[in-house]
Amino acid sequence: MESLGQRFKVTRLNGALERIYRNYRQPLYTCALAVTRCPERAEDALQEAFYRLFRLERAPDNLRAYVFRAVRNAAVDSIRRSPPPSEPLSPFIFAPEEGPRETAEQSEFKRRAAEVLLTLSDDERETIVQHLWGELSFQEIAQLRDSPLGTVSSWYRRGIEKLR
């Protein structure tokens, strides 16, 4: 039988996961989209990751980074099941449009930025998206990708240089 203390810890963890989802929904989706290159598959990866996360029994040390890793892993699993489409990356990597206030110039910039991101290697694109949109530090990205910090820094630097 589940103890009261265990139930309280799980409830607290679920509350923390809900806050992370509310605060980082767009960056998490953007990170999944950078991997899957398909809005529907990115949404599926996000749902799959949170389904698994809500079954956790204890919180990891860095829950935010752990959530980003879970979303990335779900997106990678999706790609393993079937390759990404060859169509361009959706400009939806950005926050939803501001509506009529958004200028044609801003829309064109978003479209072009999404297009240019596809010219990068997967590692460079994911690192840039995780750092800029996901607000993860290089150390957090290194942990979630199981890569050395220097490698992550190099992916970011090379990607930014190519984007320029």
Side-chain angles (χ1 to χ4, degrees):
M1 180 167 212
E2 185 179 49
S3 72
L4 184 59
Q6 180 68 17
R7 200 171 326 138
F8 178 72
K9 287 178 185 175
V10 169
T11 302
R12 247 183 41 201
L13 173 60
N14 287 347
L17 285 169
E18 287 175 24
R19 281 188 300 283
I20 286 175
Y21 181 79
R22 276 194 310 273
N23 295 333
Y24 294 98
R25 176 179 45 233
Q26 184 64 38
L28 288 164
Y29 170 76
T30 299
C31 289
L33 185 59
V35 174
T36 64
R37 300 184 195 172
C38 174
E40 293 81 17
R41 289 171 72 176
E43 289 173 8
D44 290 346
L46 203 56
Q47 289 177 1
E48 177 65 26
F50 272 89
Y51 171 75
R52 292 177 187 166
L53 288 165
F54 274 102
R55 298 174 72 197
L56 286 176
E57 293 185 12
R58 69 178 191 82
D61 292 336
N62 185 340
L63 185 60
R64 184 175 64 109
Y66 189 86
V67 168
F68 273 90
R69 181 181 188 140
V71 169
R72 180 185 183 274
N73 288 347
V76 168
D77 288 347
S78 171
I79 294 303
R80 285 186 183 136
R81 287 191 292 272
S82 63
S86 59
E87 59 199 45
L89 189 62
S90 166
F92 291 107
I93 62 166
F94 299 97
E97 295 179 5
E98 298 176 20
R101 293 187 311 172
E102 183 173 47
T103 66
E105 184 178 319
Q106 289 170 322
S107 295
E108 177 60 19
F109 171 78
K110 288 179 179 181
R111 185 197 63 73
R112 181 71 180 123
E115 186 179 285
V116 171
L117 278 171
L118 277 180
T119 65
L120 303 177
S121 74
D122 292 342
D123 290 325
E124 292 164 348
R125 182 179 53 256
E126 284 182 52
T127 303
I128 287 170
V129 168
Q130 289 166 344
H131 183 65
L132 296 179
W133 283 276
E135 301 173 0
L136 295 175
S137 68
F138 290 142
Q139 184 66 45
E140 290 172 321
I141 295 169
Q143 288 173 346
L144 86 90
R145 307 267 311 270
D146 288 329
S147 299
L149 180 60
T151 300
V152 170
S153 299
S154 293
W155 286 334
Y156 182 80
R157 182 184 42 76
R158 279 195 311 262
I160 291 296
E161 286 173 6
K162 288 178 184 178
L163 289 176
R164 286 188 181 138

